[in-house]
Amino acid sequence: MNMNAKPRTYDFASLGALLAPRSVAIIGASADPARIGGRPIAAMLSGGYKGRILPVNPGRDEVQGLACYASVADLPETPEAGIIAVAAKQTPEIVRALGEKGCRSVTLFSAGFAETGAVGEKIQAEVLAIAHGYGMRVLGPNTLGVYNVAVGYYGTFSSSLEMAFPLPGNVGIASQSGAYGAHLSAVARVRGLGASVLVTTGNEADVTVADAIGWMAGSDTVDVICAYQEGFRDADRMIAALDTARAAGKPVFMLKSGRSPLGASAAASHTASLAGDDAVAEAVLAEHGVIRVRDTEQMLDFAYAARQRIYPAHNSLGVITISGGAGIVASDEAELAGLPMPAMPAEAQARLKQLLPYGAPANPLDCTAQALNDMSLFEEFTRAALRDGGYRSILCFMTYVAGSATLAPKLRETLHEIRTEFPDRLLALCIIADDTVTRAYEEAGFLVFSDPSRAVRAIAAMGRVGEMMARKPKALPELPNVRLPAVSPDEYAAKALLAKAGIAAAAERIAHSAEEAVAAAAELGFPVVMKIVSPDIVHKSDIGGVRLNLVDTDCVRAAYQEILDTVGRTAPAARIAGILVARQLSGGVECLIGISRDPVFGPVAVFGLGGIFVEILKDVAISPCPFDEATAREMILSIKAAAILTGARGRAPADLDALASMLSRLSAFAAAAGPRLRAIDLNPVLALPDGAYALDAVIECDDEVLP
Amino acid sequence: MNMNAKPRTYDFASLGALLAPRSVAIIGASADPARIGGRPIAAMLSGGYKGRILPVNPGRDEVQGLACYASVADLPETPEAGIIAVAAKQTPEIVRALGEKGCRSVTLFSAGFAETGAVGEKIQAEVLAIAHGYGMRVLGPNTLGVYNVAVGYYGTFSSSLEMAFPLPGNVGIASQSGAYGAHLSAVARVRGLGASVLVTTGNEADVTVADAIGWMAGSDTVDVICAYQEGFRDADRMIAALDTARAAGKPVFMLKSGRSPLGASAAASHTASLAGDDAVAEAVLAEHGVIRVRDTEQMLDFAYAARQRIYPAHNSLGVITISGGAGIVASDEAELAGLPMPAMPAEAQARLKQLLPYGAPANPLDCTAQALNDMSLFEEFTRAALRDGGYRSILCFMTYVAGSATLAPKLRETLHEIRTEFPDRLLALCIIADDTVTRAYEEAGFLVFSDPSRAVRAIAAMGRVGEMMARKPKALPELPNVRLPAVSPDEYAAKALLAKAGIAAAAERIAHSAEEAVAAAAELGFPVVMKIVSPDIVHKSDIGGVRLNLVDTDCVRAAYQEILDTVGRTAPAARIAGILVARQLSGGVECLIGISRDPVFGPVAVFGLGGIFVEILKDVAISPCPFDEATAREMILSIKAAAILTGARGRAPADLDALASMLSRLSAFAAAAGPRLRAIDLNPVLALPDGAYALDAVIECDDEVLP
């Protein structure tokens, strides 16, 4: 993510040629509907594809009842899309023929490309170059394909269509994995969820999950986006797609797998090991509005809950229940999910208590099994929750009772009235009923869950979607001019470089003689610390290059010589740039502020308290660079030990303004420094009641390569 | 839990009269099968109850085709069970009549008892006293009742039976909440899970969830116990029930709700606020083998997975998949669940690589979609995982492919052979298929899930069951003789009391004059600390009662007078017992060891590091008292910051033996001290490289009440 460059724009709309083509040529078309080259034809024939299917196979005149052509050149018209189901080595020639014909996209079912090694990689690159030469988008290779129910387009060889076709609906699925994407689609079908678009991206030579998200963001039929993603390679494209989806008011529920650290991080700095690949992706995704899900079930639960497109930004939950137990279960889950359940206003409670003396009208509102005898009680409690309680979301626990033939019709009618009266609320039921009864409640405008805990998690997620959509884009700090030195600078030079970007160190001077050191100390004020400065020494303490608590002139003079003598022995080859004399600051809280470079997402900032807190407790906040002071402050306050900075246990509160400013400025510095910057460690940063100062600074950068 | 008393024994078998009676009288019997007094009769008639149903209703001769009697006295035989469905105020008389008749149990459907206030509470107590006078067990009042499919007994008015009867099977459900218990039962039914026993305990005047667990532990039909519990009132009974279930090899999956702290804890000590009601229950449940579940779905997933009664104590997972994506999803979840997925042996990998060059045979073992063309690949990979990989559990991800009409029969056959060959392994499939196909795979001996993440969590839980069953009961430490003083002791007296139980403080003396203080300091060695000793002062520092770093005789002499002067001003009314002179220890790690008294579970020990670690990070371990040193060591090593004690960041490791010994001894002290002990705070305890010493000690106890 290069913040100096203008944001690139992406032509997500061009995926229309892949996902909603007016005509499609199938190269390698088969008469057998069970073969890879036969399946999409069979599926489109029974799925009611609204465009023209153009089979290509030199050995046949007819395929599955359609006229078949010997070659792409022989086609009677220009196909908007091409599906290729032949061996990898034949593909370059076919892609070229499609390009010549004016085709706009190719879907490469074929395997045997980059996933198999160097030879395949070469063919993949060749195919891509040819396609791009003609301005065609490429899906795959090694993809299971796509479908789009709205136009009856089934450019896929997934055998899941043999079981059942997907339902029409407003959910789209984008998946890197073909089989897992098809699995998601099949589970959605079983659950009665209309996942009407599926894109599986395979090797992602061109089209990625990000492109699919971007296209769905602009699609008329998709309102809710589910994505399965293993890793990221193009951060800019993913961010552009996510921002497009957010701007379109469409939530993205993402299962990002590979959460466990792969240990493949090549970055050597301390900061890098703290960040971790998945944590970086997590921070970026959260910033760009993704709701990350734990598993498939949660993804589809959330997608289901989003069907009403009600996303309460200031969410609160009222639970109406016929079982005290269910109310407690729901409350527990709401607390875990961070979903507030404020109590009903006192007057409303008093009124309900009169209606039902043994009920519990706080929240949960328990109208007890009495509601089964007198449905008006349930209605009264629910209306009171919506009107007097003002809850943005409501969960009614009715269990199998709602499935009863005697109660269901009346209950459905009541619920339908409530739905009409409160159109902006998120309304959910927890019931056990057969499919027909369930559908009827859904048609009355309610979400239906059988598990109260799952219902609460989904309701909480809709609130997070609302918050995400309401969030203002973060203000970016102005980037400083940064000119990195040709090689990694020493501490003194690093601090000087950072000072230009407004990042404060303790007052300090560099001395080249004992007399200069004494003069510097006198000027700075005692006590001082003294540290060896050398481009060859990072860990100064380890080799005896640091002296603390130097209280007077004599100490300083002696320390100067001692440091030189010691370092002369312990690091005889090191080039010595001088000795740093700094005012010794004390008190305050030691923090660590660092930058590491993620291979995909670029510079990432890490904040934590020093020592044990980062090394043992891993209590850190991370964020991609750059970010403003408000974000920096949120990061600082998000660590578990934040209370140590805000005045816990009788301490003076640290200067959070100064700390946040430093963190934000460092993020801007890192963003401006360009890709040669590998890492920065400010460790410790001393956060005082007034001011924050970097007591040490390490900047690691790649050596400059002269042109 | 009074550890001085002999463990009580409980007559769980007596619940047989409630759950499997040979005859049942229904008092308040109704001819209307939709009324409370009619439902159990209707249910037993259609459910095939194997005993005799004896309706009682003075207004009728016949009820639902059965002879009906005017009163209990008129019954032609002794009913083993009585179900009472009349108003609360009539119940004492009826219970007495049942007792006179020789009945062994009563189920009180009626509400209007303790849940409604003082009047109802009185009737409840009266009913209980009458029943106990006749040796009858009482279920309820305010209970939805019980059922037991094996004998066709439906002593419940749950309307869920109108939808469907529960399936026979080896799962039992015990629930404090009636409606939630019935909900669990209904969800189990929908999932095809045989939950053949349900007990809902209502007000728990007599029979509790613990009794139900205890009965199921001894039942022939229940192998797997699901429990819903809101709070505990009788720790001994629950522990006895759990230990009985564990001894019988039956897992208990418990949803304990009310996780959020209720803020009702009356205990004033620092330690008490750290422990928290739910955390104490959590510790006790874990110790006694309960697998605590997050929600209903998880409870039933685990109960389902337990159907094979295979609980691999040293669990490991091999995943065979046709989708790389699903393999990663499963691996992520296994890591979160702490379920190891070791790689296949190198030779086996090489062999599988030869079979399928583009497969990935490590673990997950990806046999790719190629397995769909050649089923022998799947078979070969799965056998290799079981034989060469030796995994205790296997998950095969086949998604909708396993539901295909062409593949399913052959696949089922293959799986059945594998099941027969490896009878002790936990075998699970992740597939999408209709009910018939699913049942067929289950009959072939496999667990069937549609979500790979849920499958992994359930497999991990079976391993935890195995570990719990294999765990040796913890050795209890010998309890010391503890005689608490009449009122809370001062620091000096507290340390002396603890010293007798082998709990070491820093060497110290009490001085009553400056000269005694000087002599004590000379004997102990400098530096010393001095602290005011008063039964009226707990927070000594706050009132100027502590001096540190006293390096010589003059300092000690001066400090003696200064402390007296200061305390004379700041706490003029305090009785002064003297001034404590203690050797000042330094270095090491400051810890906190505390005891609080849980109203249900008795004394509970808390361990954490001092200051920030307990107060801000809440990084503590807790355990009910008493426990042995091995348990104490596990607690110490379980905190997040444990590395600080074991030598992180170049520190000398703390003396864990001494620390664990102190923690275990304090737990024994607390168990021996009896119910007058409210709390103990040893804060700080200094853990040195050799030894651990309590630097302060507060013992709070209730004043002794003279007889």
Side-chain angles (χ1 to χ4, degrees):
Chain A
M1 185 169 42
N2 184 347
M3 302 304 304
N4 290 324
K6 262 200 236 170
R8 268 187 283 162
T9 54
Y10 297 90
D11 182 13
F12 297 134
S14 63
L15 265 70
L18 272 171
L19 277 157
R22 275 158 303 214
S23 54
V24 57
I26 291 97
I27 295 90
S30 169
D32 181 350
R35 300 197 59 144
I36 288 182
R39 278 195 183 148
I41 298 172
M44 285 189 269
L45 286 174
S46 35
Y49 175 47
K50 293 173 180 162
R52 285 172 308 283
I53 308 171
L54 305 162
V56 175
N57 184 331
R60 309 187 67 95
D61 292 334
E62 175 267 317
V63 158
Q64 300 188 40
L66 300 168
C68 182
Y69 303 91
S71 71
V72 170
D74 292 332
L75 287 173
E77 63 175 298
T78 298
E80 191 174 1
I83 291 176
I84 302 181
V86 299
K89 63 178 193 295
Q90 296 172 256
T91 54
E93 176 197 342
I94 291 168
V95 171
R96 190 182 310 278
L98 285 165
E100 284 296 324
K101 197 83 187 175
C103 181
R104 307 309 307 144
S105 78
V106 286
T107 294
L108 286 159
F109 287 171
S110 328
F113 290 87
E115 80 280 10
T116 61
V119 176
E121 211 164 312
K122 211 173 138 224
I123 311 179
Q124 183 169 316
E126 189 186 350
V127 164
L128 190 65
I130 296 167
H132 281 182
Y134 291 101
M136 290 190 286
R137 297 305 302 255
V138 177
L139 184 70
N142 195 21
T143 173
L144 198 67
V146 303
Y147 69 61
N148 182 356
V149 174
V151 294
Y153 182 67
Y154 294 92
T156 173
F157 63 95
S158 169
S159 64
S160 73
L161 298 178
E162 288 168 19
M163 287 185 73
F165 275 71
L167 300 170
N170 67 353
V171 177
I173 300 174
S175 174
Q176 223 175 320
S177 159
Y180 207 70
H183 173 72
L184 281 171
S185 160
V187 176
R189 177 68 186 78
V190 168
R191 292 179 58 163
L193 189 65
S196 66
V197 174
L198 171 69
V199 182
T200 69
T201 53
N203 287 9
E204 298 199 337
D206 169 21
V207 170
T208 64
V209 166
D211 291 295
I213 292 172
W215 182 82
M216 291 180 199
S219 148
D220 288 339
T221 52
V222 175
D223 295 320
V224 178
I225 301 168
C226 291
Y228 171 77
Q229 178 87 41
E230 284 162 17
F232 297 94
R233 274 174 297 183
D234 183 345
D236 288 340
R237 199 176 343 178
M238 180 54 80
I239 288 168
L242 295 176
D243 290 348
T244 307
R246 175 153 61 163
K250 302 184 182 181
V252 177
F253 302 113
M254 186 181 287
L255 179 61
K256 183 200 164 285
S257 67
R259 287 180 296 217
S260 43
L262 298 177
S265 166
S269 87
H270 179 62
T271 298
S273 68
L274 287 173
D277 299 341
D278 188 70
V280 175
E282 169 94 27
V284 173
L285 295 175
E287 183 180 324
H288 293 277
V290 167
I291 307 293
R292 195 166 171 190
V293 297
R294 175 166 175 171
D295 54 29
T296 310
E297 176 174 275
Q298 198 165 72
M299 177 188 279
L300 296 180
D301 274 358
F302 292 1
Y304 169 74
R307 65 190 284 151
Q308 301 185 339
R309 305 185 64 186
I310 296 175
Y311 309 118
H314 302 281
N315 207 2
S316 60
L317 177 65
V319 174
I320 294 94
T321 178
I322 56 164
S323 150
I328 302 176
V329 168
S331 306
D332 275 352
E333 196 63 44
E335 171 148 331
L336 275 180
L339 176 56
M341 282 184 61
M344 288 283 284
E347 317 87 272
Q349 286 199 42
R351 187 163 44 76
L352 295 174
K353 199 84 189 166
Q354 276 192 320
L355 270 178
L356 185 62
Y358 300 134
N363 188 20
L365 292 87
D366 185 358
C367 55
T368 77
Q370 198 56 37
L372 312 187
N373 299 326
D374 179 0
M375 190 61 79
S376 76
L377 278 174
F378 168 76
E379 190 174 344
E380 196 57 46
F381 271 62
T382 305
R383 272 182 209 282
L386 286 159
R387 195 183 47 227
D388 305 319
Y391 306 115
R392 309 314 300 166
S393 300
I394 289 283
L395 175 65
C396 301
F397 180 86
M398 307 290 285
T399 182
Y400 50 84
V401 166
S404 123
T406 46
L407 288 177
K410 167 71 184 137
L411 182 60
R412 204 163 60 232
E413 199 180 301
T414 302
L415 290 171
H416 188 67
E417 283 168 23
I418 289 172
R419 169 81 284 176
T420 311
E421 203 174 327
F422 299 93
D424 64 336
R425 312 294 177 92
L426 190 61
L427 303 177
L429 301 178
C430 180
I431 67 171
I432 314 288
D434 62 32
D435 284 354
T436 316
V437 174
T438 298
R439 295 289 160 264
Y441 284 116
E442 286 177 343
E443 277 155 26
F446 281 69
L447 303 173
V448 179
F449 292 88
S450 70
D451 189 292
S453 310
R454 279 170 65 181
V456 169
R457 290 194 285 269
I459 291 168
M462 295 310 101
R464 286 162 55 211
V465 170
E467 281 165 32
M468 173 273 285
M469 286 181 181
R471 207 168 60 198
K472 293 194 191 92
K474 75 179 180 188
L476 291 185
E478 213 171 306
L479 298 195
N481 275 319
V482 176
R483 172 82 185 87
L484 288 180
V487 297
S488 297
D490 62 37
E491 178 182 349
Y492 185 72
K495 284 179 176 167
L497 202 56
L498 292 167
K500 280 196 226 159
I503 293 156
E508 61 189 21
R509 305 282 179 272
I510 193 161
H512 301 93
S513 69
E515 288 319 308
E516 277 183 31
V518 166
E523 183 197 348
L524 295 166
F526 292 98
V528 296
V529 299
M530 292 172 64
K531 296 191 271 190
I532 194 76
V533 180
S534 162
D536 304 318
I537 299 171
V538 173
H539 300 293
K540 297 173 281 282
S541 300
D542 299 355
I543 53 122
V546 179
R547 293 293 159 107
L548 305 174
N549 280 319
L550 305 170
V551 294
D552 59 25
T553 302
D554 288 348
C555 291
V556 169
R557 198 185 313 274
Y560 188 90
Q561 198 53 49
E562 283 164 21
I563 290 175
L564 285 187
D565 291 350
T566 307
V567 172
R569 280 197 311 277
T570 53
R575 292 163 292 171
I576 307 301
I579 288 184
L580 204 59
V581 181
R583 178 68 186 270
Q584 179 162 341
L585 299 174
S586 60
V589 181
E590 288 199 355
C591 304
L592 172 150
I593 296 183
I595 300 288
S596 72
R597 171 167 294 280
D598 184 88
V600 176
F601 295 104
V604 175
V606 176
F607 174 81
L609 300 193
I612 287 161
F613 293 94
V614 293
E615 290 184 20
I616 295 177
L617 300 173
K618 313 286 182 207
D619 183 18
V620 297
I622 76 171
S623 179
C625 300
F627 46 84
D628 61 0
E629 283 188 31
T631 305
R633 182 179 274 267
E634 278 170 29
M635 286 172 70
I636 292 165
L637 292 176
S638 76
I639 65 169
K640 294 192 192 74
I644 293 172
L645 289 164
T646 55
R649 291 170 56 83
R651 291 163 183 272
D655 185 343
L656 290 192
D657 289 341
L659 204 53
S661 164
M662 182 185 287
L663 182 52
S664 168
R665 282 166 192 267
L666 189 71
S667 78
F669 178 95
R676 276 185 51 229
L677 179 70
R678 278 206 308 271
I680 304 178
D681 272 2
L682 308 186
N683 185 15
V685 168
L686 200 63
L688 295 170
D690 52 341
Y693 302 92
L695 302 193
D696 197 356
V698 176
I699 296 180
E700 289 178 49
C701 49
D702 295 330
D703 292 353
E704 194 163 26
V705 179
L706 296 176
Chain B
M1 185 168 43
N2 183 346
M3 301 305 302
N4 290 325
K6 261 200 237 169
R8 270 187 283 163
T9 54
Y10 297 90
D11 183 12
F12 297 133
S14 63
L15 266 70
L18 273 171
L19 278 156
R22 275 159 303 215
S23 55
V24 57
I26 292 97
I27 295 91
S30 170
D32 181 351
R35 298 196 60 143
I36 288 181
R39 279 195 182 148
I41 299 172
M44 285 190 269
L45 286 174
S46 36
Y49 174 46
K50 292 174 181 162
R52 284 172 309 284
I53 308 171
L54 305 163
V56 175
N57 186 331
R60 310 188 67 95
D61 293 333
E62 176 265 321
V63 158
Q64 299 188 42
L66 299 168
C68 181
Y69 304 90
S71 71
V72 170
D74 292 333
L75 288 173
E77 63 175 299
T78 297
E80 190 173 3
I83 291 176
I84 302 181
V86 299
K89 62 177 191 296
Q90 296 172 253
T91 53
E93 177 197 340
I94 291 168
V95 170
R96 190 183 308 279
L98 285 166
E100 284 297 324
K101 197 82 187 175
C103 181
R104 307 308 308 145
S105 77
V106 286
T107 294
L108 287 159
F109 286 172
S110 327
F113 290 86
E115 80 280 10
T116 61
V119 176
E121 210 165 311
K122 213 175 135 223
I123 312 180
Q124 184 169 316
E126 189 187 348
V127 164
L128 190 64
I130 297 168
H132 280 182
Y134 291 100
M136 289 190 288
R137 297 305 303 256
V138 177
L139 185 69
N142 196 19
T143 172
L144 198 66
V146 304
Y147 68 61
N148 182 355
V149 175
V151 295
Y153 182 67
Y154 294 92
T156 173
F157 64 95
S158 170
S159 64
S160 74
L161 298 178
E162 287 167 20
M163 289 184 73
F165 275 72
L167 301 170
N170 67 353
V171 176
I173 300 175
S175 173
Q176 223 175 319
S177 160
Y180 207 69
H183 173 73
L184 281 171
S185 159
V187 176
R189 176 68 186 78
V190 168
R191 292 178 59 163
L193 189 65
S196 67
V197 174
L198 171 68
V199 182
T200 69
T201 53
N203 286 9
E204 298 200 339
D206 168 22
V207 170
T208 64
V209 166
D211 291 294
I213 292 172
W215 182 82
M216 292 178 197
S219 145
D220 288 340
T221 52
V222 174
D223 294 321
V224 178
I225 301 168
C226 291
Y228 170 76
Q229 178 87 39
E230 283 162 16
F232 297 95
R233 275 174 295 182
D234 183 344
D236 287 340
R237 199 176 343 178
M238 180 54 81
I239 288 169
L242 295 176
D243 290 348
T244 308
R246 176 154 59 165
K250 301 184 182 181
V252 177
F253 302 114
M254 187 181 286
L255 179 61
K256 184 200 163 287
S257 68
R259 286 180 297 217
S260 43
L262 299 178
S265 167
S269 89
H270 178 64
T271 298
S273 68
L274 287 173
D277 299 341
D278 189 70
V280 175
E282 170 94 27
V284 173
L285 295 175
E287 184 181 323
H288 292 278
V290 167
I291 307 294
R292 195 166 172 190
V293 298
R294 174 167 175 169
D295 54 28
T296 310
E297 176 173 277
Q298 199 165 71
M299 177 189 280
L300 296 180
D301 274 358
F302 292 2
Y304 169 74
R307 63 190 285 149
Q308 301 186 339
R309 305 185 64 185
I310 295 175
Y311 309 118
H314 301 281
N315 208 2
S316 59
L317 176 66
V319 174
I320 295 94
T321 178
I322 56 163
S323 151
I328 302 175
V329 168
S331 306
D332 275 352
E333 197 62 44
E335 171 148 330
L336 276 181
L339 176 56
M341 283 183 61
M344 288 283 285
E347 316 88 271
Q349 286 199 42
R351 187 162 44 76
L352 295 174
K353 200 83 189 167
Q354 275 191 322
L355 271 177
L356 185 63
Y358 299 135
N363 187 19
L365 292 86
D366 186 358
C367 56
T368 78
Q370 199 56 38
L372 312 186
N373 299 327
D374 179 0
M375 191 61 76
S376 76
L377 278 174
F378 167 75
E379 189 174 345
E380 195 57 48
F381 271 63
T382 305
R383 273 182 208 280
L386 286 159
R387 195 181 49 227
D388 305 318
Y391 306 114
R392 308 314 301 168
S393 301
I394 289 284
L395 175 65
C396 301
F397 180 86
M398 307 290 285
T399 183
Y400 49 83
V401 166
S404 122
T406 44
L407 288 177
K410 167 70 183 134
L411 183 58
R412 205 162 61 231
E413 197 180 306
T414 302
L415 290 171
H416 188 68
E417 282 167 24
I418 288 171
R419 169 81 283 178
T420 312
E421 203 174 329
F422 299 93
D424 64 336
R425 311 296 177 90
L426 190 62
L427 303 177
L429 301 178
C430 180
I431 67 171
I432 314 287
D434 63 32
D435 284 354
T436 317
V437 173
T438 298
R439 296 290 161 262
Y441 285 117
E442 286 178 342
E443 278 155 26
F446 280 70
L447 303 173
V448 178
F449 293 88
S450 71
D451 189 292
S453 309
R454 278 171 66 182
V456 169
R457 289 195 285 270
I459 290 168
M462 296 309 102
R464 285 164 55 213
V465 170
E467 281 167 30
M468 175 272 287
M469 287 182 181
R471 205 168 63 198
K472 293 196 193 90
K474 76 178 180 189
L476 292 184
E478 214 172 306
L479 299 195
N481 275 321
V482 176
R483 172 84 185 85
L484 290 180
V487 297
S488 295
D490 62 36
E491 177 182 351
Y492 186 71
K495 284 180 176 165
L497 202 57
L498 293 166
K500 281 197 226 158
I503 294 156
E508 62 189 18
R509 305 281 179 272
I510 192 161
H512 302 92
S513 69
E515 288 319 308
E516 278 183 33
V518 165
E523 183 196 347
L524 295 166
F526 292 97
V528 296
V529 297
M530 291 172 65
K531 294 192 271 187
I532 193 76
V533 180
S534 162
D536 304 318
I537 299 170
V538 174
H539 299 294
K540 297 174 281 280
S541 301
D542 299 355
I543 53 123
V546 179
R547 293 294 159 106
L548 306 173
N549 279 319
L550 305 170
V551 295
D552 58 26
T553 302
D554 289 347
C555 293
V556 168
R557 198 184 313 274
Y560 188 89
Q561 198 53 48
E562 284 164 20
I563 290 175
L564 286 187
D565 292 348
T566 307
V567 172
R569 278 195 314 278
T570 53
R575 292 162 292 170
I576 306 300
I579 289 184
L580 205 60
V581 182
R583 177 67 187 270
Q584 179 163 339
L585 299 174
S586 59
V589 181
E590 287 198 357
C591 304
L592 172 149
I593 295 183
I595 299 289
S596 71
R597 170 166 295 279
D598 184 88
V600 175
F601 295 104
V604 175
V606 176
F607 174 81
L609 300 193
I612 288 162
F613 293 95
V614 293
E615 290 183 20
I616 296 178
L617 300 173
K618 314 286 182 207
D619 183 18
V620 296
I622 75 170
S623 179
C625 300
F627 47 82
D628 61 0
E629 283 187 32
T631 304
R633 182 180 276 267
E634 277 171 29
M635 286 172 69
I636 293 166
L637 293 175
S638 76
I639 65 169
K640 294 191 191 73
I644 294 171
L645 290 163
T646 55
R649 292 170 55 84
R651 288 164 185 271
D655 185 343
L656 290 191
D657 290 340
L659 203 54
S661 165
M662 181 184 289
L663 182 52
S664 168
R665 282 166 191 267
L666 189 72
S667 78
F669 178 95
R676 278 184 51 229
L677 179 70
R678 279 207 307 271
I680 305 177
D681 270 5
L682 307 185
N683 184 15
V685 167
L686 201 63
L688 296 170
D690 52 343
Y693 301 92
L695 301 193
D696 197 356
V698 176
I699 296 181
E700 288 178 50
C701 49
D702 294 330
D703 290 353
E704 194 163 23
V705 178
L706 295 176

